[in-house]
Amino acid sequence: MTNANQQAVALYSNDFLREVEERVEEGEWVKMCMQCGVCAGSCPLGNAWQHTPQKLFMMIRAGKREEVLTSDSMWMCTSCYNCIVRCPRKLPITHIMHGLANYAHRLNLAPKGQPTREVARLFWNSLAKTGRVNELKFSLAMYFKDGIVQGIKNAMAMQSIGLALVMTKRLNPMELFGGHKCKDPGSLHKMIAKAREIEDRKKGFTS
Amino acid sequence: MNASIATNQTILVVGGGISGMTSALEAAECGKQVILAERNTSLGGRTSLLYRYFPKMCHPTCGLEINLRRLKANRNLRVMTQTEVTSVTGKRGDYTVTLKISPRYVNQNCTGCGECAKVVEAEIDNPYEYGLSKTKAAYLPHAMAYPQRYVLDASIVGAADGEKAKAACKYNAIELDMKTETVELKVGAVIWATGWKPYDAAKIQPYGYDRFDNVITSLEFERLADPHGPTGGKLLRPSDGKEAKNIAFIQCAGSRDENHLRHCSRICCMASLKQTQYVREVYGDEGKSTIYYIDIRSIDRLEDFYQKVQQDSAVKFVKSKVANIKLHEETNDLILHGVDTEGYHRYAAQHDLVVLAVGMEPESNGIALPADMITDSSGFIEGSKDGGQFSAGAASSPLDVNRSVQSATAASLRAIQVVHKTSATEGAR
Ligand SMILES: Cc1cc2nc3c(=O)[nH]c(=O)nc-3n(C[C@H](O)[C@H](O)[C@H](O)COP(=O)(O)OP(=O)(O)OC[C@H]3O[C@@H](n4cnc5c(N)ncnc54)[C@H](O)[C@@H]3O)c2cc1C
Ligand code: SF4
Ligand code: SF4
Ligand code: SF4
Ligand code: SF4
């Protein structure tokens, strides 16, 4: 178990609903779900998932902490907002889905190698470092996330598109060396650290 | 009309459904002067369009008949049909109300012989059948109508049909030059018994009421089941007139929904349970009913009725709010999509007719109420701040007939108290 996870387990022992309410974005809405099933039936991905929003909300109330936080369902939400529009109780379902994913990531319980999680992680790392997303490095990292061999295959497959992007000045090959950044990345790092500190305080993380 | 008959001792009841009739009768039978103003051409309200009443499965005409008998026997009560209240001013014990009376084009001489309807050619959507059938433009509202007088639709007045009707009437009952009248009256107390209206089903986009012929409302289903209704009591579906034998009932259609009506309409679970028994009445074990629900809310002793229907092998219950409805093109059947809550099974269920158990919204949404009226978050009327105006029946809350009548009696008592106090203070002066 990671530290953060041990802490959370100790703090909320058997009350996963309270944990979600306090620590997950929009989590306080979960108890408003009346289990009507409309979100599950309206979600375009619903039949491809193990856990629809309806099911996840019930599992939270039933205290199925491990199953919820290790589920990869919320990582597949495409933010189409169909569920939010239809929910008779106006739950901000999409945001809760992302909140759950984020929380599971924070506790390091989210499924390893889950593609959405990997993309998000690479995107964030690139952004948080320089204040700009380095598209070249980001794409390369994406290609190679499943290993060298797969990476080369991916890069070959995308070769012509990459070239076209370079020709039309949409991709700068020089980005590989350093790359552009915002004026003062140092201050950005401080801001992010501060935001993190505030969030940790509000949500009761002691890190 | 002679306005001086009404005084601040008079009680005005707005709306002549089961609640308004009850309020008016209770007060009149206590010796109070009462005016009952009904907007439609006949008393009876929405219940006169129901086939049977839950939980006893009796016919609404029976209750209506008793009330009409009481009404005819009472001299303190004056009924005004085609009359709308356009304003209420003043205060408790001393109101001035303005009434707008639309022309019927038929006077008291009418015997209901029906000759006028025979000669008139124009047809209009039958206002009592939700547009499921047509009627002649000279018509008797329905079999139990009170007053038992024909009506000429305004569209034929000034046309050849109007003249034909007039020529056919042997009793001099047709007056083509009747005009809209406005009268002012003094009254001491007002009871709002304006009732309810069905939520506009077309607004529930995923259910396609406006796109699919075979998606109908629970009110339309009442008319289909009624032997006096447009299909003679056969459950024929609109698209092709085929007998519907595999019927889905969708609960909370527009109720308990922040996107539509926030409140639980309270009667629609019972209405659908009742309607499954119409299906049984027609087909026996052959007809299948499936109720899709969030929770079944059959309050108090109505639970017995629910338990009885649960025993019925032809009725299936699926705990799920249907997510959306798609058309099955070849058959005109409908495919209901959703996920059930007891096991989270995804279903795509085919039915030949879908009945939406639509919610009740206050009829008074859409009319201008007096300024000091208190309404709840859904628009149901609680009463006026000055304590001289009250609400009764479905105008006050989504109520069934039994509870409507109780609430109407309570409102009547409050109104009697107001005019009593008024007369007491006047006596002392
Ligand atoms: C599908 C369905 C099935 C139902 N089945 C049952 C059942 O089996 N048993 C049961 O107990 N209940 C049933 N109900 C409920 C029942 O319909 C109501 O309880 C009942 O209609 C309430 O009566 P009311 O007089 O308060 O209102 P209404 O019946 O709505 O009467 C109101 C009257 O006021 C008039 N009016 C409105 N506005 C004005 C105005 N501004 N000026 C003058 N007049 C006005 C209207 O024209 C109408 O005549 C059912 C409801 C639905 C939707
Ligand atoms: S639509 Fe809303 S109320 Fe219904 S199950 Fe989904 S979250 Fe719960
Ligand atoms: S927003 Fe996400 S959970 Fe909601 S319907 Fe779309 S994909 Fe499904
Ligand atoms: S209006 Fe005249 S013709 Fe028509 S039903 Fe009445 S009495 Fe008969
Ligand atoms: S009575 Fe039943 S169908 Fe009607 S709103 Fe309430 S729960 Fe829904």
Side-chain angles (χ1 to χ4, degrees):
Chain A
M1 266 201 218
T2 63
N3 264 345
N5 188 31
Q6 267 163 354
Q7 242 173 53
V9 169
L11 200 54
Y12 294 101
S13 53
N14 265 328
D15 198 346
F16 186 41
L17 176 62
R18 198 163 65 84
E19 181 177 348
V20 169
E21 282 176 351
E22 288 179 10
R23 294 186 145 198
V24 171
E25 181 133 18
E26 306 281 6
E28 67 278 12
W29 277 94
V30 169
K31 62 175 170 296
M32 290 299 290
C33 169
M34 63 173 166
Q35 287 293 303
C36 72
V38 160
C39 54
S42 309
C43 179
L45 289 170
N47 54 358
W49 293 3
Q50 199 186 356
H51 303 130
T52 59
Q54 176 194 23
K55 216 167 173 179
L56 281 172
F57 300 160
M58 194 50 154
M59 285 159 68
I60 291 171
R61 285 197 277 192
K64 300 209 179 271
R65 186 174 188 274
E66 186 78 19
E67 271 176 76
V68 170
L69 294 177
T70 57
S71 169
D72 80 337
S73 294
M74 54 267 194
W75 292 96
M76 299 215 255
C77 169
T78 61
S79 309
C80 74
Y81 283 78
N82 224 359
C83 52
I84 289 199
V85 172
R86 299 274 169 81
C87 173
R89 286 280 173 90
K90 282 244 158 84
L91 267 79
I93 301 168
T94 317
H95 308 313
I96 306 172
M97 294 298 271
H98 296 318
L100 282 170
N102 182 268
Y103 186 57
H105 173 75
R106 183 78 203 266
L107 299 189
N108 207 16
L109 292 175
K112 301 248 156 11
Q114 207 289 333
T116 322
R117 186 184 181 200
E118 279 314 300
V119 174
R121 205 173 50 76
L122 292 170
F123 192 92
W124 172 255
N125 287 347
S126 173
L127 185 70
K129 203 161 152 195
T130 59
R132 297 283 184 272
V133 177
N134 186 316
E135 286 178 348
L136 187 59
K137 282 189 189 167
F138 177 60
S139 324
L140 286 177
M142 286 289 297
Y143 295 163
F144 287 93
K145 76 178 170 48
D146 297 325
I148 292 274
V149 181
Q150 187 58 39
I152 292 172
K153 275 194 200 152
N154 288 342
M156 298 287 278
M158 298 297 286
Q159 205 177 24
S160 59
I161 295 180
L163 268 174
L165 284 172
V166 172
M167 301 299 283
T168 52
K169 298 213 162 63
R170 291 304 176 102
L171 197 67
N172 181 358
M174 298 313 283
E175 284 283 292
L176 205 52
F177 315 101
H180 71 306
K181 48 172 84 98
C182 69
K183 272 191 193 142
D184 182 5
S187 297
L188 176 72
H189 298 155
K190 277 189 208 151
M191 272 164 60
I192 293 173
K194 187 71 191 171
R196 178 90 178 207
E197 187 194 311
I198 295 170
E199 190 190 340
D200 284 355
R201 186 162 13 94
K202 278 193 179 158
K203 294 187 175 166
F205 283 104
T206 42
S207 49
Chain B
M1 214 200 72
N2 191 349
S4 66
I5 304 169
T7 68
N8 58 5
Q9 295 295 297
T10 305
I11 296 169
L12 170 69
V13 179
V14 191
I18 190 73
S19 306
M21 287 170 80
T22 304
S23 282
L25 281 165
E26 299 289 5
E29 287 173 359
C30 284
K32 299 296 164 197
Q33 294 301 312
V34 180
I35 293 173
L36 176 57
E38 165 59 53
R39 183 172 62 183
N40 278 344
T41 50
S42 161
L43 295 184
R46 302 245 173 220
T47 53
S48 48
L49 303 183
L50 302 179
Y51 169 39
R52 287 176 187 275
Y53 274 167
F54 62 72
K56 289 200 269 177
M57 301 302 271
C58 47
H59 293 279
T61 43
C62 172
L64 194 58
E65 204 175 315
I66 296 170
N67 277 331
L68 290 176
R69 225 174 20 234
R70 284 167 76 189
L71 196 133
K72 285 172 197 159
N74 198 297
R75 320 193 70 220
N76 298 327
L77 174 58
R78 202 161 42 152
V79 175
M80 300 170 70
T81 51
Q82 289 176 283
T83 302
E84 263 181 88
V85 178
T86 52
S87 87
V88 179
T89 55
K91 60 178 198 319
R92 172 191 162 102
D94 184 20
Y95 293 112
T96 303
V97 297
T98 312
L99 304 177
K100 193 180 108 194
I101 310 164
S102 305
R104 189 183 192 101
Y105 305 108
V106 176
N107 64 26
Q108 300 89 308
N109 293 346
C110 175
T111 63
C113 72
E115 288 303 319
C116 51
K118 283 187 196 152
V119 298
V120 164
E121 279 167 37
E123 290 197 325
I124 54 167
D125 275 344
N126 188 337
Y128 283 85
E129 301 286 10
Y130 308 104
L132 292 169
S133 70
K134 298 260 178 205
T135 185
K136 287 284 185 69
Y139 62 98
L140 188 66
H142 54 87
M144 288 293 296
Y146 180 89
Q148 277 277 320
R149 259 200 265 158
Y150 273 63
V151 186
L152 252 54
D153 191 71
S155 64
I156 60 166
V157 175
D161 261 342
E163 296 300 334
K164 273 199 250 172
K166 188 173 164 65
C169 181
K170 292 198 270 299
Y171 303 93
N172 239 338
I174 294 182
E175 287 181 38
L176 294 172
D177 55 359
M178 272 189 193
K179 293 274 175 314
T180 300
E181 277 181 73
T182 306
V183 294
E184 265 190 14
L185 300 176
K186 289 268 174 212
V187 298
V190 183
I191 296 175
W192 292 87
T194 40
W196 61 279
K197 62 183 167 195
Y199 184 71
D200 178 5
K203 288 190 192 158
I204 315 166
Q205 192 273 341
Y207 293 166
Y209 175 73
D210 54 347
R211 303 189 296 280
F212 311 137
D213 289 342
N214 293 333
V215 176
I216 65 172
T217 67
S218 49
L219 287 87
E220 290 163 343
F221 195 71
E222 291 285 338
R223 300 315 304 139
L224 293 189
D226 191 339
H228 301 296
T231 55
K234 290 202 175 123
L235 305 178
L236 308 180
R237 63 182 199 171
S239 74
D240 49 13
K242 209 185 86 179
E243 284 192 321
K245 291 194 168 174
N246 174 15
I247 304 175
F249 295 89
I250 299 187
Q251 298 311 111
C252 304
S255 303
R256 294 178 68 186
D257 193 331
E258 295 287 339
N259 300 308
H260 302 285
L261 300 174
R262 304 187 64 208
H263 58 268
C264 164
S265 294
R266 275 213 218 111
I267 54 87
C268 15
C269 276
M270 279 303 292
S272 292
L273 291 171
K274 171 184 75 172
Q275 291 179 346
T276 65
Q277 299 308 295
Y278 297 169
V279 180
R280 167 161 288 287
E281 188 179 321
V282 177
Y283 302 120
D285 286 335
E286 296 293 291
K288 301 287 175 221
S289 301
T290 310
I291 297 190
Y292 294 85
Y293 69 101
I294 305 175
D295 319 278
I296 295 290
R297 293 187 168 171
S298 50
I299 30 186
D300 302 345
R301 58 202 168 84
L302 298 175
E303 184 86 13
D304 293 349
F305 192 88
Y306 175 31
Q307 282 168 3
K308 206 187 100 202
V309 177
Q310 277 181 310
Q311 304 300 313
D312 186 337
S313 58
V315 183
K316 206 173 116 192
F317 290 86
V318 179
K319 185 169 172 64
S320 167
K321 185 170 168 77
V322 173
N324 58 61
I325 299 177
K326 299 267 152 59
L327 183 69
H328 187 257
E329 303 266 352
E330 298 93 85
T331 57
N332 264 320
D333 284 359
L334 301 147
I335 316 281
L336 276 53
H337 293 274
V339 172
D340 79 30
T341 305
E342 292 168 323
Y344 300 110
H345 310 291
R346 195 164 291 273
Y347 58 83
Q350 189 160 348
H351 293 277
D352 51 17
L353 183 70
V354 174
V355 179
L356 303 180
V358 286
M360 284 163 110
E361 101 177 281
E363 178 69 62
S364 54
N365 279 357
I367 66 168
L369 289 170
D372 77 335
M373 205 63 101
I374 305 165
T375 55
D376 69 14
S377 67
S378 298
F380 290 102
I381 303 173
E382 289 178 8
S384 67
K385 286 191 198 113
D386 69 0
Q389 302 188 53
F390 311 97
S391 62
S396 67
S397 179
L399 299 176
D400 61 14
V401 170
N402 185 6
R403 287 177 177 78
S404 287
V405 169
Q406 288 172 5
S407 119
T409 309
S412 203
L413 187 56
R414 293 200 193 99
I416 291 171
Q417 286 168 347
V418 170
V419 296
H420 237 69
K421 278 193 196 134
T422 319
S423 67
T425 48
E426 275 184 0
R429 236 187 263 153

